[in-house]
Amino acid sequence: MDGGNLVRDAGGLRPNCAIEGMKNRLKVLRAERDWNQQDLADALGVSRQSVNAIETGKYDPSLPLAFRIADLFTLSIEAVFLRD
């Protein structure tokens, strides 16, 4: 991958393309803790809109953000984010 295929966002540097078919369990994990999207956003240091975009699959988080999410729920990244 050459440098032209990378973009920088709030979570750091990430590939310019999303991982196709990546799904996640964020909504379920939030519900198990009785958290709303804003609660999760505050815990992660991102906007509620970012949480919504990740939950609905409109945005794949950067690797640093994915690690923060997994750490928050004390799970592995693979337990939070699933490939289709």
Side-chain angles (χ1 to χ4, degrees):
M1 174 176 2
D2 65 65
N5 290 332
L6 300 176
V7 294
R8 184 172 299 281
D9 63 12
L13 206 56
R14 66 176 177 82
N16 195 22
C17 58
I19 298 172
E20 291 186 20
M22 192 162 91
K23 297 187 182 198
N24 66 73
R25 300 178 48 226
L26 277 186
K27 188 172 183 176
V28 171
L29 294 169
R30 261 194 322 102
E32 289 173 356
R33 287 154 182 82
D34 201 28
W35 291 350
N36 61 35
Q37 287 183 341
Q38 189 63 57
D39 295 331
L40 180 56
D42 291 344
L44 294 171
V46 299
S47 69
R48 184 203 57 78
Q49 292 85 351
S50 293
V51 169
N52 180 271
I54 294 168
E55 282 187 358
T56 59
K58 294 178 183 168
Y59 171 76
D60 289 330
S62 65
L63 191 55
L65 179 54
F67 272 112
R68 286 201 318 264
I69 292 167
D71 289 347
L72 181 65
F73 291 109
T74 61
L75 295 169
S76 67
I77 287 180
E78 294 86 356
V80 178
F81 297 96
L82 316 163
R83 283 196 202 219
D84 197 20

